[in-house]
Amino acid sequence: MSLIVTDLSVHHGAIRAINSVTFEVEVGEMVAVVGANGAGKTTLLRALSGLNRSVSGSAKWNGKEILHTKPELLVRRGISHVSEGKSVIPELSVRENLTLGAIWRRNPAEAQQTRQDVLEVFPRLAERIAQPADTLSGGERQMLAIGRAIMSRPHLLLLDEPSLGLAPLVVAQIFQSIRELAASMKLTVILVEQNAMSALKIADKGIVLHLGAIAAQGSAKDLVADSKVRSAYLGY
Amino acid sequence: MYTFINTVLIGITSGAIYSLMAIALVLVWRSTRVVNFAQAGQALLSTYVGYACIQQFNSFWLALIVSMLAGALIGAFIDAVLMRTLFRRVSHGPIAGVAPIIATLGLLGLIRAGLGLFVGNQDVIIRPPVSNVGYTVAGHTLAFSPLKLVIVSTSIILMIALSILFAKTNLGLSLRAAAFSPEIARLAGVRVDRIRTLGWAIAGAAGAAAGMLQTPNGNGSFSPDSLDFSLLLVFGFIAAVIGGLESLIGAVLGALLLGLVLAFVLTYISGSLVFITAFVLLILVLLIRPQGIIGAKRGRRA
Ligand SMILES: Nc1ncnc2c1ncn2[C@@H]1O[C@H](COP(=O)(O)OP(=O)(O)OP(=O)(O)O)[C@@H](O)[C@H]1O
Ligand SMILES: [Mg+2]
């Protein structure tokens, strides 16, 4: 089980936002994708989850092609995407957002169990279970977005900037929860982050995107230690 | 005093019918962002199916169910065949927003003309399933008959069924999620295209019920170019806008308000002011509370 991406390009009309990107993710690994604004991080994730299907190249999950497939079908194959900017539905309650995450599953008992697991990791959500999601704080919404994605019991979790707009303390908390979830559910995680240093600290591997291409990749430790990478792309 | 009570009763009855139409329009608007002018045509077509069913089996109730099923099929067909293709073909640019709406306008004309061609433009009649003679209370005959009771209670039953569907079932959750946020619904595994078609189907059924209940409430006769169905669309639309266009409860409240206001104008002022009042109400609501009477946003939106 692994994700093998080969020569992936993604177009926004005439613009090529991702240009022939190749990388591999082993099962159970956490990969941080970092890079400046506009580097193409979001575009990359949206191609992998099926939201953007103007793509060429190949991406194989467990040996099967996932490009050109709709997100509602990919989620059935174990790929869950938390899109950029708190991907919850504000009009629905916390409970409904969580239920939604498991809506395509046919086993209510299993969904119930998963919800308990999620609420154990994010007890704040349990306290607010009946509230509409638009009454949650930014951090709580991000927890709910991740919880919603976990409800489908994914094998590959795509996270787009879970730290966006959150205070450092909350970011640390959320990163901690992501790590716990990944370990307990044996998740493969692709974590897109502006917050390069904190992401690389919890990740196994790192990919540095620059203008839609991979500028560097390797073990997270090596990337952080590499002074050239640090000064050119991470800004430290 | 009796005049007042009668006016309220008339208002509630027509409000009940408008609310079914308003619900139909809101469902389509929410699920595909289309103002569906064809809804009047769909209701007309479904009511004809109901009429044919009455001719055949002589049962209004069977006809109501059959016409709602027909309405659902027609709605689903329009979305799955016409709208989906249209959305694929014109997905960008300024025309993308109006093309589907203009298409529904065209469809309305097409349905009416097509029906006229097939069944002719002469009036046909749906007789009331129960008496339309008002109940008598203390020597006064009320403007509320067994028929009106049937109309109001059928509407209430349908609304309760719909609210249970939307609030308590997974299907309802999918419908709401797909309406509020299609992208997140997709990511959660909702098959948004199918769910949208289902929304059109439910709307079609609600519109059919409105047509089937409205016809015997009036003089019972209708034809492919009946004004009644255009008015049903206009009043349903005004009610939906008063209710904020996004909310089913809002649509029902808007319809009741509209029904009552129009009944009072009709009784106490003049029948010739009914239309003017309806449109003045629409414009006032748009000017003063464009989000509708209960469309207020709650909570924080960061
Ligand atoms: N829908 C779109 N249409 C046209 N261009 C787009 C679209 N989405 C993204 N782009 C362009 O593609 C490039 C990559 O954008 P992307 O959102 O993937 O960057 P990002 O790395 O996620 O940035 P950020 O850190 O700011 O979220 C940018 O130049 C952006 O302007
Ligand atoms: Mg981004």
Side-chain angles (χ1 to χ4, degrees):
Chain A
M1 301 230 291
S2 62
L3 176 71
I4 302 176
V5 176
T6 322
D7 269 339
L8 172 67
S9 297
V10 188
H11 305 263
H12 291 303
I15 307 166
R16 198 182 258 208
I18 288 287
N19 195 355
S20 202
V21 157
T22 297
F23 63 92
E24 267 188 58
V25 184
E26 292 298 322
V27 85
E29 248 178 4
M30 186 179 301
V31 177
V33 176
V34 300
N37 288 114
K41 308 181 294 296
T42 297
T43 305
L44 174 65
L45 282 201
R46 290 174 69 87
L48 294 178
S49 70
L51 282 176
N52 189 335
R53 297 194 292 284
S54 316
V55 292
S56 60
S58 140
K60 291 202 161 122
W61 170 241
N62 297 336
K64 279 201 212 137
E65 186 60 53
I66 57 171
L67 295 185
H68 308 289
T69 306
K70 292 180 179 175
E72 53 266 44
L73 300 180
L74 287 181
V75 72
R76 288 165 170 78
R77 285 166 56 183
I79 301 177
S80 247
H81 181 184
V82 179
S83 52
E84 191 169 13
K86 328 232 161 59
S87 85
V88 304
I89 301 188
E91 291 89 347
L92 302 182
S93 71
V94 170
R95 182 187 283 115
E96 286 171 334
N97 269 284
L98 290 177
T99 307
L100 185 68
I103 203 149
W104 57 274
R105 312 196 119 240
R106 291 279 166 257
N107 186 341
E110 208 178 58
Q112 182 72 23
Q113 180 57 48
T114 314
R115 191 166 81 189
Q116 267 166 26
D117 296 346
V118 167
L119 294 180
E120 232 161 78
V121 180
F122 299 119
R124 299 269 287 274
L125 296 181
E127 292 160 25
R128 291 159 176 74
I129 194 87
Q131 275 174 230
D134 66 357
T135 62
L136 298 181
S137 74
E140 289 160 355
R141 270 194 218 197
Q142 198 52 260
M143 292 173 194
L144 181 56
I146 295 169
R148 192 268 299 151
I150 293 295
M151 284 298 290
S152 72
R153 295 224 150 247
H155 300 293
L156 174 60
L157 182 63
L158 309 173
L159 290 170
D160 198 343
E161 298 210 38
S163 75
L164 193 72
L166 304 184
L169 207 63
V170 184
V171 174
Q173 230 173 21
I174 288 200
F175 276 21
Q176 176 61 30
S177 310
I178 293 171
R179 234 178 14 190
E180 272 172 38
L181 282 168
S184 71
M185 298 183 72
K186 302 195 180 55
L187 287 173
T188 307
V189 180
I190 300 185
L191 172 63
V192 156
E193 266 299 336
Q194 278 289 321
N195 219 324
M197 271 308 174
S198 356
L200 287 170
K201 253 182 233 155
I202 68 163
D204 305 302
K205 259 174 40 182
I207 293 175
V208 182
L209 272 187
H210 182 65
L211 301 177
I214 294 183
Q217 64 174 318
S219 89
K221 272 205 201 80
D222 292 349
L223 284 178
V224 172
D226 188 328
S227 61
K228 263 191 261 162
V229 169
R230 285 174 68 134
S231 62
Y233 304 112
L234 305 182
Y236 294 93
Chain B
M1 184 59 197
Y2 278 101
T3 315
F4 180 82
I5 292 173
N6 277 338
T7 309
V8 170
L9 290 171
I10 291 172
I12 288 175
T13 311
S14 41
I17 295 170
Y18 302 158
S19 68
L20 290 171
M21 195 59 174
I23 284 174
L25 293 164
V26 166
L27 281 175
V28 166
W29 168 254
R30 282 211 315 200
S31 64
T32 39
R33 299 287 147 194
V34 172
V35 177
N36 185 17
F37 289 106
Q39 201 82 60
Q42 293 167 247
L44 183 68
L45 202 53
S46 314
T47 307
Y48 260 98
V49 172
Y51 164 75
C53 188
I54 293 177
Q55 295 303 99
Q56 193 66 239
F57 302 104
N58 200 24
S59 159
F60 179 83
W61 298 110
L62 180 67
L64 177 66
I65 292 168
V66 170
S67 99
M68 286 176 67
L69 287 175
L73 282 179
I74 296 164
F77 178 82
I78 293 175
D79 180 57
V81 176
L82 184 67
M83 289 300 149
R84 234 182 258 184
T85 316
L86 201 60
F87 283 130
R88 237 195 333 265
R89 289 296 182 113
V90 268
S91 57
H92 298 294
I95 199 73
V98 283
I101 297 170
I102 296 170
T104 67
L105 206 54
L107 197 59
L108 173 59
L110 193 67
I111 292 175
R112 294 202 125 151
L115 252 181
L117 213 60
F118 273 101
V119 303
N121 277 322
Q122 71 281 12
D123 279 353
V124 295
I125 290 183
I126 292 182
R127 275 173 226 300
V130 292
S131 156
N132 197 12
V133 176
Y135 292 107
T136 311
V137 176
H140 291 271
T141 304
L142 292 182
F144 200 72
S145 59
L147 176 67
K148 298 215 184 324
L149 183 63
V150 158
I151 290 171
V152 172
S153 36
T154 307
S155 311
I156 291 175
I157 289 168
L158 290 177
M159 282 174 229
I160 291 175
L162 270 184
S163 47
I164 290 174
L165 171 71
F166 274 89
K168 304 273 183 232
T169 68
N170 273 359
L171 204 56
L173 182 58
S174 300
L175 278 157
R176 283 183 292 151
F180 292 136
S181 182
E183 185 170 297
I184 295 174
R186 281 212 161 86
L187 289 177
V190 175
R191 298 190 182 222
V192 170
D193 293 344
R194 292 184 195 180
I195 286 291
R196 279 181 174 161
T197 303
L198 182 68
W200 275 75
I202 298 173
M212 284 298 286
L213 294 176
Q214 162 183 273
T215 304
N217 189 46
N219 60 11
S221 70
F222 70 106
S223 72
D225 40 32
S226 282
L227 184 61
D228 294 342
F229 281 82
S230 309
L231 293 183
L232 182 61
L233 179 76
V234 170
F235 289 155
F237 187 59
I238 294 176
V241 171
I242 294 176
L245 215 49
E246 297 278 344
S247 142
L248 295 178
I249 300 164
V252 174
L253 292 180
L256 278 180
L257 181 72
L258 182 67
L260 286 170
V261 168
L262 296 188
F264 275 93
V265 170
L266 181 71
T267 310
Y268 289 96
I269 308 175
S270 154
S272 55
L273 284 183
V274 166
F275 290 122
I276 295 177
T277 310
F279 289 108
V280 168
L281 201 61
L282 172 69
I283 288 166
L284 278 183
V285 168
L286 284 177
L287 286 179
I288 300 167
R289 272 187 83 82
Q291 75 276 42
I293 47 176
I294 69 153
K297 298 236 193 301
R298 58 176 179 198
R300 54 175 163 195
R301 275 175 199 264

